[in-house]
Amino acid sequence: MKKLQIVRFTVQIVFLLLSLSVIIMKSPILHIAYLVSALLAGVFFCGWLCPFGFIQDVFGKLGSLFIKNKLKTPLKLQKYLVFLRYVLTVLLMAIATTGIINFREYDARLVFLKLMNFSIAQTTALVIMVIFVVVAIIFERPYCNYFCSEGARFGAISLLRIFTIKRNSGTCIQCKKCDKSCPMNITISNKNSIRSAQCINCFNCISNCPVKGTLRFGLINFKNKVQPNQTIEK
C-alpha cells in the first residue's frame, strides 16, 4: 500500500471510531465543512471520512486477495448509470416529503451510522446494508457508485471545484492503471483534469500511477484541451 493510501486508511479508521459519537454524526458545523470542501476541492467526505464507504473499501480489499479481475460496469452503460443515484435521491426526497415512507431508515450509510451508535436498525435496512457490503467484495463501492444520496449531493456541488486531480499528458504512458484502480469507474487516462461528480478523491489513481508526477492534486486546468498523444473516449 502506498504512503498516501496508508494516510487515507488511517484517517478512515479514526473517523470510523469518531462516528461512535452522536456529535460527529449530527454536527451542523461538520456538514457545512463537508459542503465547503466539496465546493473547493471535491468530495473528500466519501473517500476519506464516510464510515460506510470505509467498510466497503475493507471488504473490497479482502475481495482483491482472492479475485484478480473484479466486476466493472461497461463504460457505455456506466455513463447512464451514474445518474441513478440522482434520480433515486429526487424520488426518495419526494416520497419523504409526502410522509408515506421515511426513506432515511432504508439508507444503508445512515443505518450503518446508527449501528455504530448501538441503535436498533430496521431489519430490511440492515439486510440491504449487508448486501452492499458483500457485493463490495466483487464490485468496488457499489452503494457509493449508484445509490448514495449524500454522495450525489456532494458530487453535484463538486462540479464547481477549483482543486482536483490533474493528469500530465506529456508523461502519461497510457498504461490505464489509473482507470483500473478507480473504485468509481472513472476514465482518467484521457483527461487533463478530473471534473467527474463521481470522483471521491480516494487518490487510488495517483498511488497506482507508475510515472511519478503524472497524476497529482492541484489547481484545475481550466483550459482542458486534449493533447495530441491523448486518446479520446468514444
Side-chain angles (χ1 to χ4, degrees):
M1 187 182 292
K2 306 294 191 301
K3 290 182 180 179
L4 184 60
Q5 293 305 313
I6 293 176
V7 173
R8 176 173 167 251
F9 185 74
T10 303
V11 172
Q12 287 179 305
I13 291 179
V14 170
F15 204 82
L16 177 66
L17 297 176
L18 289 176
S19 295
L20 293 169
S21 169
V22 176
I23 297 176
I24 290 295
M25 289 174 60
K26 298 184 177 180
S27 171
I29 296 178
L30 282 177
H31 280 80
I32 292 174
Y34 299 152
L35 291 172
V36 172
S37 66
L39 180 62
L40 294 176
V43 191
F44 276 98
F45 173 77
C46 299
W48 290 69
L49 305 176
C50 178
F52 190 59
F54 171 60
I55 293 300
Q56 290 177 84
D57 283 343
V58 170
F59 277 80
K61 293 294 182 184
L62 291 175
S64 297
L65 297 176
F66 308 99
I67 304 172
K68 184 177 181 181
N69 296 315
K70 290 190 177 182
L71 297 179
K72 271 206 171 188
T73 304
L75 294 178
K76 289 184 179 180
L77 183 59
Q78 174 74 5
K79 66 181 181 180
Y80 298 109
L81 287 182
V82 292
F83 295 105
L84 179 59
R85 61 180 186 171
Y86 300 99
V87 174
L88 289 175
T89 298
V90 173
L91 289 176
L92 293 175
M93 288 178 66
I95 293 173
T97 301
T98 63
I100 298 175
I101 299 176
N102 182 6
F103 79 90
R104 290 173 66 86
E105 293 185 2
Y106 294 87
D107 188 310
R109 185 184 64 83
L110 293 178
V111 169
F112 178 76
L113 292 178
K114 287 182 181 180
L115 289 178
M116 296 307 298
N117 281 281
F118 306 105
S119 299
I120 299 176
Q122 207 170 46
T123 303
T124 303
L126 179 59
V127 171
I128 292 173
M129 185 194 74
V130 171
I131 290 174
F132 278 118
V133 169
V134 173
V135 173
I137 296 175
I138 59 175
F139 187 100
E140 300 289 350
R141 287 205 176 214
Y143 182 72
C144 303
N145 263 284
Y146 308 117
F147 300 97
C148 184
S149 58
E150 195 84 343
R153 287 191 289 269
F154 287 141
I157 294 172
S158 74
L159 290 174
L160 301 174
R161 63 188 179 273
I162 58 175
F163 292 94
T164 191
I165 296 171
K166 303 193 299 181
R167 169 180 162 270
N168 184 341
S169 59
T171 58
C172 178
I173 60 175
Q174 287 294 314
C175 64
K176 310 289 186 180
K177 287 186 177 181
C178 52
D179 299 342
K180 295 175 183 177
S181 65
C182 179
M184 302 301 286
N185 205 11
I186 302 171
T187 303
I188 301 166
S189 60
N190 67 352
K191 298 176 177 65
N192 286 338
S193 294
I194 309 304
R195 299 298 298 269
S196 173
Q198 292 288 104
C199 181
I200 58 174
N201 284 340
C202 65
F203 300 148
N204 278 344
C205 55
I206 296 177
S207 298
N208 285 278
C209 180
V211 183
K212 186 176 181 180
T214 295
L215 291 174
R216 60 189 179 87
F217 188 81
L219 186 65
I220 201 166
N221 293 327
F222 291 100
K223 294 182 180 181
N224 195 16
K225 295 181 180 179
V226 179
Q227 301 299 320
N229 65 334
Q230 286 182 274
T231 56
I232 307 294
E233 181 183 358
K234 297 181 179 180

Coordinates of all heavy atoms in Angstrom, one line a residue, residues 10-76:
T10 N -5.7 5.4 7.6 CA -5.6 5.8 9.0 C -6.7 6.8 9.3 O -7.4 6.7 10.3 CB -4.2 6.4 9.3 OG1 -3.2 5.5 9.0 CG2 -4.1 6.8 10.8
V11 N -6.9 7.8 8.4 CA -8.0 8.7 8.6 C -9.3 8.1 8.6 O -10.2 8.4 9.4 CB -7.9 9.8 7.5 CG1 -9.1 10.7 7.6 CG2 -6.6 10.6 7.6
Q12 N -9.5 7.1 7.8 CA -10.8 6.4 7.7 C -11.1 5.6 9.0 O -12.2 5.6 9.5 CB -10.8 5.4 6.5 CG -10.9 6.1 5.2 CD -10.9 5.1 4.0 OE1 -10.0 4.3 3.9 NE2 -11.9 5.1 3.2
I13 N -10.1 5.0 9.6 CA -10.2 4.3 10.8 C -10.6 5.3 12.0 O -11.4 5.0 12.8 CB -8.9 3.5 11.2 CG1 -8.7 2.3 10.2 CG2 -9.0 3.0 12.6 CD1 -7.5 1.5 10.5
V14 N -9.8 6.4 12.0 CA -10.1 7.4 13.0 C -11.5 7.9 13.0 O -12.2 8.0 14.0 CB -9.1 8.6 12.9 CG1 -9.5 9.7 13.8 CG2 -7.7 8.1 13.2
F15 N -12.0 8.2 11.7 CA -13.3 8.7 11.6 C -14.4 7.7 11.9 O -15.5 8.0 12.3 CB -13.5 9.3 10.2 CG -14.6 10.4 10.2 CD1 -14.4 11.7 10.6 CD2 -15.9 10.0 9.8 CE1 -15.4 12.6 10.6 CE2 -16.9 11.0 9.8 CZ -16.7 12.3 10.2
L16 N -14.0 6.4 11.6 CA -14.9 5.3 12.0 C -15.2 5.3 13.5 O -16.3 5.1 13.9 CB -14.4 4.0 11.5 CG -15.2 2.7 11.8 CD1 -16.5 2.7 11.1 CD2 -14.4 1.5 11.5
L17 N -14.1 5.4 14.2 CA -14.2 5.5 15.7 C -14.9 6.7 16.2 O -15.7 6.6 17.1 CB -12.8 5.4 16.3 CG -12.0 4.1 16.0 CD1 -10.6 4.2 16.6 CD2 -12.7 2.9 16.5
L18 N -14.7 7.8 15.5 CA -15.3 9.1 15.9 C -16.8 9.0 15.6 O -17.6 9.7 16.3 CB -14.7 10.3 15.2 CG -13.3 10.7 15.6 CD1 -12.8 11.8 14.7 CD2 -13.3 11.1 17.0
S19 N -17.2 8.2 14.7 CA -18.6 8.0 14.3 C -19.4 7.4 15.5 O -20.7 7.5 15.4 CB -18.8 7.2 13.1 OG -18.2 7.8 12.0
L20 N -18.8 6.9 16.4 CA -19.5 6.4 17.6 C -20.1 7.6 18.4 O -21.0 7.4 19.2 CB -18.5 5.7 18.5 CG -18.0 4.3 18.0 CD1 -16.8 3.8 18.9 CD2 -19.1 3.3 17.9
S21 N -19.6 8.8 18.1 CA -20.1 10.0 18.8 C -21.3 10.5 18.1 O -21.2 10.8 16.8 CB -19.0 11.0 18.9 OG -19.5 12.2 19.3
V22 N -22.4 10.8 18.7 CA -23.5 11.4 18.1 C -23.2 12.8 17.6 O -23.7 13.3 16.7 CB -24.7 11.5 19.1 CG1 -25.9 12.2 18.5 CG2 -25.1 10.1 19.6
I23 N -22.3 13.5 18.3 CA -21.9 14.8 17.9 C -21.3 14.8 16.5 O -21.6 15.7 15.7 CB -20.8 15.4 18.9 CG1 -21.4 15.5 20.3 CG2 -20.3 16.7 18.5 CD1 -20.4 15.9 21.4
I24 N -20.5 13.8 16.2 CA -19.8 13.7 14.9 C -20.9 13.5 13.8 O -20.9 14.1 12.7 CB -18.8 12.6 14.8 CG1 -17.6 12.9 15.7 CG2 -18.4 12.3 13.4 CD1 -16.8 14.1 15.2
M25 N -21.9 12.7 14.2 CA -23.0 12.4 13.2 C -23.9 13.6 12.9 O -24.3 13.8 11.8 CB -23.8 11.3 13.7 CG -23.1 9.9 13.7 SD -24.2 8.7 14.5 CE -25.6 8.7 13.4
K26 N -24.1 14.4 13.9 CA -25.2 15.5 13.8 C -24.6 16.9 13.8 O -25.4 17.8 13.7 CB -26.2 15.3 14.9 CG -27.0 14.0 14.8 CD -28.0 13.9 15.8 CE -28.8 12.6 15.7 NZ -29.9 12.5 16.7
S27 N -23.3 17.1 13.9 CA -22.8 18.4 14.0 C -23.0 19.2 12.7 O -22.6 18.8 11.6 CB -21.3 18.3 14.2 OG -20.7 19.6 14.1
P28 N -23.8 20.3 12.8 CA -24.0 21.1 11.6 C -22.7 21.8 11.1 O -22.6 22.0 9.9 CB -25.0 22.2 12.1 CG -24.8 22.3 13.6 CD -24.4 20.9 14.0
I29 N -21.8 22.1 12.0 CA -20.5 22.7 11.6 C -19.8 21.7 10.6 O -19.2 22.2 9.6 CB -19.7 23.0 12.8 CG1 -20.4 24.1 13.6 CG2 -18.3 23.5 12.3 CD1 -19.7 24.5 14.9
L30 N -19.8 20.5 11.0 CA -19.1 19.5 10.2 C -19.7 19.3 8.8 O -19.0 19.2 7.8 CB -19.0 18.1 10.9 CG -18.0 18.0 12.0 CD1 -18.1 16.6 12.6 CD2 -16.6 18.2 11.4
H31 N -21.0 19.3 8.8 CA -21.7 19.2 7.5 C -21.4 20.4 6.6 O -21.3 20.3 5.4 CB -23.2 19.0 7.7 CG -23.6 17.7 8.1 ND1 -23.5 17.2 9.3 CD2 -24.1 16.6 7.3 CE1 -23.9 15.9 9.4 NE2 -24.3 15.6 8.2
I32 N -21.4 21.6 7.2 CA -21.0 22.8 6.4 C -19.6 22.7 5.9 O -19.3 23.0 4.7 CB -21.1 24.0 7.3 CG1 -22.6 24.3 7.6 CG2 -20.6 25.3 6.6 CD1 -22.8 25.4 8.6
A33 N -18.7 22.1 6.7 CA -17.3 21.9 6.3 C -17.2 20.9 5.1 O -16.4 21.1 4.2 CB -16.5 21.4 7.5
Y34 N -18.0 19.9 5.2 CA -18.1 18.9 4.1 C -18.5 19.6 2.8 O -17.9 19.3 1.7 CB -19.0 17.7 4.4 CG -18.7 16.9 5.6 CD1 -19.7 16.3 6.3 CD2 -17.4 16.8 6.1 CE1 -19.5 15.5 7.4 CE2 -17.1 16.0 7.2 CZ -18.2 15.4 7.9 OH -17.9 14.7 9.0
L35 N -19.5 20.4 2.9 CA -20.0 21.1 1.7 C -19.0 22.1 1.1 O -18.8 22.1 -0.1 CB -21.3 21.8 2.0 CG -22.6 21.0 2.4 CD1 -23.7 21.8 2.9 CD2 -23.0 20.2 1.1
V36 N -18.4 22.8 2.0 CA -17.4 23.8 1.6 C -16.2 23.1 0.9 O -15.7 23.5 -0.2 CB -16.9 24.6 2.7 CG1 -15.7 25.5 2.3 CG2 -18.0 25.5 3.3
S37 N -15.7 22.0 1.5 CA -14.6 21.2 0.9 C -15.0 20.6 -0.4 O -14.2 20.6 -1.3 CB -14.2 20.1 1.9 OG -15.2 19.1 2.0
A38 N -16.2 20.2 -0.6 CA -16.7 19.6 -1.9 C -16.7 20.7 -2.9 O -16.4 20.5 -4.1 CB -18.1 19.0 -1.7
L39 N -17.1 21.9 -2.5 CA -17.2 23.1 -3.4 C -15.8 23.5 -3.9 O -15.6 23.8 -5.1 CB -17.9 24.2 -2.7 CG -18.0 25.5 -3.6 CD1 -18.9 25.3 -4.8 CD2 -18.7 26.6 -2.7
L40 N -14.8 23.4 -3.0 CA -13.5 23.9 -3.3 C -12.6 22.8 -3.9 O -11.8 23.0 -4.9 CB -12.8 24.4 -2.1 CG -13.4 25.7 -1.5 CD1 -12.6 26.1 -0.2 CD2 -13.3 26.9 -2.5
A41 N -12.7 21.6 -3.4 CA -11.7 20.6 -3.7 C -12.3 19.2 -4.0 O -11.5 18.2 -4.0 CB -10.6 20.5 -2.7
G42 N -13.6 19.1 -4.1 CA -14.1 17.7 -4.4 C -14.6 17.0 -3.2 O -14.6 17.5 -2.1
V43 N -15.0 15.8 -3.4 CA -15.7 15.0 -2.4 C -14.8 14.2 -1.5 O -14.6 13.0 -1.7 CB -16.8 14.1 -3.0 CG1 -17.7 13.5 -1.9 CG2 -17.6 14.8 -4.0
F44 N -14.2 14.9 -0.5 CA -13.3 14.2 0.4 C -14.1 13.4 1.4 O -13.6 12.4 1.9 CB -12.4 15.2 1.2 CG -11.2 15.6 0.4 CD1 -11.1 16.8 -0.3 CD2 -10.0 14.8 0.4 CE1 -10.0 17.2 -1.0 CE2 -8.9 15.2 -0.3 CZ -8.9 16.4 -1.0
F45 N -15.3 13.8 1.7 CA -16.1 13.0 2.7 C -16.2 11.6 2.3 O -16.0 10.7 3.1 CB -17.5 13.7 2.9 CG -18.4 12.9 3.8 CD1 -18.2 12.9 5.1 CD2 -19.4 12.1 3.2 CE1 -19.1 12.1 5.9 CE2 -20.2 11.3 4.0 CZ -20.1 11.4 5.4
C46 N -16.6 11.3 1.1 CA -16.9 10.0 0.6 C -15.6 9.1 0.6 O -15.6 7.9 0.9 CB -17.5 10.0 -0.8 SG -19.1 10.9 -0.8
G47 N -14.5 9.7 0.2 CA -13.3 8.9 0.0 C -12.5 8.8 1.3 O -11.6 7.9 1.4
W48 N -12.6 9.7 2.2 CA -11.8 9.7 3.4 C -12.5 9.6 4.8 O -12.0 9.1 5.7 CB -11.0 11.0 3.5 CG -9.9 11.1 2.4 CD1 -10.1 11.3 1.1 CD2 -8.5 11.1 2.6 NE1 -8.9 11.3 0.4 CE2 -7.9 11.3 1.3 CE3 -7.7 11.0 3.7 CZ2 -6.5 11.3 1.1 CZ3 -6.3 11.0 3.6 CH2 -5.7 11.1 2.3
L49 N -13.8 10.0 4.8 CA -14.4 10.1 6.1 C -15.7 9.3 6.3 O -16.0 8.9 7.5 CB -14.8 11.6 6.4 CG -13.7 12.6 6.3 CD1 -14.2 14.0 6.4 CD2 -12.6 12.4 7.3
C50 N -16.3 8.9 5.2 CA -17.6 8.1 5.4 C -17.3 6.7 5.9 O -16.6 5.9 5.3 CB -18.3 8.0 4.0 SG -19.8 7.1 4.1
P51 N -17.9 6.4 7.1 CA -17.6 5.0 7.7 C -18.1 3.9 6.8 O -17.5 2.9 6.7 CB -18.4 5.1 9.0 CG -18.5 6.6 9.3 CD -18.6 7.2 8.0
F52 N -19.3 4.1 6.2 CA -19.8 3.0 5.3 C -19.0 2.8 4.1 O -18.8 1.7 3.6 CB -21.3 3.3 5.0 CG -22.0 2.1 4.3 CD1 -22.1 0.9 5.0 CD2 -22.5 2.2 3.1 CE1 -22.7 -0.2 4.4 CE2 -23.2 1.2 2.5 CZ -23.3 0.0 3.1
G53 N -18.5 3.9 3.5 CA -17.6 3.8 2.4 C -16.3 3.1 2.8 O -15.8 2.3 2.0
F54 N -15.8 3.3 4.0 CA -14.6 2.6 4.5 C -14.9 1.1 4.6 O -14.0 0.3 4.2 CB -14.2 3.2 5.9 CG -13.2 2.4 6.6 CD1 -11.9 2.3 6.0 CD2 -13.4 1.9 7.8 CE1 -10.9 1.6 6.6 CE2 -12.4 1.2 8.5 CZ -11.2 1.0 7.9
I55 N -16.0 0.8 5.1 CA -16.4 -0.7 5.3 C -16.4 -1.3 3.9 O -15.9 -2.5 3.7 CB -17.7 -0.9 6.0 CG1 -17.6 -0.4 7.4 CG2 -18.1 -2.3 5.9 CD1 -16.5 -1.2 8.2
Q56 N -16.9 -0.6 2.9 CA -16.9 -1.2 1.5 C -15.5 -1.3 1.0 O -15.2 -2.3 0.3 CB -17.7 -0.3 0.6 CG -19.2 -0.3 0.8 CD -19.9 0.7 -0.1 OE1 -20.3 0.4 -1.2 NE2 -20.2 1.9 0.4
D57 N -14.6 -0.4 1.3 CA -13.2 -0.5 0.9 C -12.6 -1.7 1.6 O -11.8 -2.4 0.9 CB -12.5 0.8 1.4 CG -12.8 2.0 0.4 OD1 -13.3 1.8 -0.7 OD2 -12.5 3.1 0.8
V58 N -12.8 -1.9 2.8 CA -12.2 -3.0 3.6 C -12.6 -4.3 2.9 O -11.8 -5.2 2.6 CB -12.6 -3.0 5.0 CG1 -12.2 -4.3 5.7 CG2 -12.0 -1.8 5.8
F59 N -13.9 -4.5 2.6 CA -14.4 -5.8 2.0 C -13.9 -5.8 0.6 O -13.6 -6.9 0.1 CB -15.9 -5.9 2.1 CG -16.4 -6.4 3.4 CD1 -16.5 -5.6 4.5 CD2 -16.7 -7.7 3.5 CE1 -16.9 -6.1 5.7 CE2 -17.2 -8.2 4.7 CZ -17.3 -7.4 5.8
G60 N -13.7 -4.7 -0.1 CA -13.1 -4.7 -1.4 C -11.7 -5.2 -1.4 O -11.3 -5.9 -2.3
K61 N -10.9 -4.7 -0.4 CA -9.5 -5.2 -0.3 C -9.5 -6.7 0.0 O -8.6 -7.4 -0.5 CB -8.8 -4.4 0.9 CG -8.6 -3.0 0.6 CD -7.6 -2.7 -0.5 CE -7.4 -1.2 -0.7 NZ -6.5 -0.9 -1.8
L62 N -10.4 -7.2 0.8 CA -10.4 -8.6 1.1 C -10.7 -9.4 -0.2 O -10.2 -10.4 -0.4 CB -11.5 -8.9 2.2 CG -11.2 -8.4 3.6 CD1 -12.4 -8.7 4.5 CD2 -10.0 -9.1 4.1
G63 N -11.7 -8.8 -1.0 CA -12.0 -9.5 -2.2 C -10.8 -9.5 -3.2 O -10.7 -10.5 -3.9
S64 N -10.0 -8.5 -3.2 CA -8.8 -8.4 -4.1 C -7.8 -9.5 -3.8 O -7.0 -9.9 -4.6 CB -8.2 -7.1 -3.9 OG -9.0 -6.0 -4.4
L65 N -7.8 -10.0 -2.5 CA -6.9 -11.1 -2.2 C -7.2 -12.4 -2.9 O -6.4 -13.3 -3.1 CB -7.0 -11.4 -0.7 CG -6.5 -10.2 0.2 CD1 -6.7 -10.6 1.7 CD2 -5.0 -9.8 0.0
F66 N -8.5 -12.6 -3.3 CA -9.0 -13.8 -3.9 C -9.4 -13.6 -5.4 O -9.5 -14.6 -6.1 CB -10.1 -14.4 -3.1 CG -9.8 -14.6 -1.6 CD1 -10.2 -13.6 -0.7 CD2 -9.0 -15.6 -1.2 CE1 -9.9 -13.8 0.6 CE2 -8.7 -15.8 0.1 CZ -9.2 -14.8 1.1
I67 N -9.8 -12.4 -5.7 CA -10.4 -12.1 -7.0 C -9.4 -11.2 -7.8 O -9.3 -10.0 -7.4 CB -11.8 -11.5 -7.0 CG1 -12.7 -12.4 -6.1 CG2 -12.4 -11.3 -8.4 CD1 -14.1 -11.8 -5.8
K68 N -8.8 -11.7 -8.9 CA -7.9 -10.8 -9.6 C -8.6 -9.8 -10.4 O -8.2 -8.6 -10.4 CB -7.1 -11.7 -10.5 CG -6.0 -11.0 -11.3 CD -5.1 -11.9 -12.1 CE -4.0 -11.2 -12.8 NZ -3.2 -12.1 -13.7
N69 N -9.6 -10.2 -11.2 CA -10.3 -9.2 -12.0 C -11.8 -9.0 -11.5 O -12.6 -9.9 -11.7 CB -10.4 -9.7 -13.5 CG -9.0 -9.8 -14.1 OD1 -8.2 -8.8 -13.9 ND2 -8.7 -10.9 -14.8
K70 N -12.0 -7.9 -10.8 CA -13.3 -7.7 -10.2 C -14.2 -7.2 -11.3 O -13.8 -6.7 -12.4 CB -13.2 -6.6 -9.1 CG -12.5 -7.2 -7.9 CD -12.6 -6.2 -6.7 CE -12.0 -6.7 -5.5 NZ -12.2 -5.8 -4.4
L71 N -15.5 -7.2 -11.0 CA -16.5 -6.8 -11.9 C -16.5 -5.3 -12.0 O -16.3 -4.5 -11.0 CB -17.9 -7.2 -11.4 CG -18.2 -8.7 -11.3 CD1 -19.6 -8.9 -10.8 CD2 -18.0 -9.4 -12.7
K72 N -16.7 -4.8 -13.2 CA -16.8 -3.4 -13.5 C -17.9 -3.1 -14.5 O -18.0 -3.9 -15.5 CB -15.5 -2.8 -14.0 CG -14.5 -2.3 -12.9 CD -13.6 -1.2 -13.4 CE -12.8 -0.6 -12.2 NZ -12.0 0.6 -12.6
T73 N -18.6 -2.1 -14.3 CA -19.7 -1.8 -15.3 C -19.1 -1.3 -16.6 O -18.2 -0.4 -16.6 CB -20.6 -0.7 -14.7 OG1 -21.1 -1.1 -13.4 CG2 -21.8 -0.4 -15.7
P74 N -19.5 -1.8 -17.7 CA -19.0 -1.3 -19.0 C -19.2 0.2 -19.1 O -20.3 0.7 -18.7 CB -19.9 -2.1 -20.0 CG -20.3 -3.3 -19.3 CD -20.5 -2.9 -17.9
L75 N -18.3 0.9 -19.7 CA -18.3 2.3 -19.8 C -19.6 2.8 -20.5 O -20.1 3.9 -20.2 CB -17.0 2.9 -20.4 CG -15.8 2.7 -19.6 CD1 -14.6 3.2 -20.3 CD2 -15.9 3.4 -18.2
K76 N -20.0 2.1 -21.5 CA -21.2 2.5 -22.3 C -22.4 2.5 -21.4 O -23.3 3.3 -21.6 CB -21.4 1.6 -23.5 CG -20.3 1.7 -24.6 CD -20.6 0.8 -25.8 CE -19.6 1.0 -26.9 NZ -19.9 0.2 -28.1

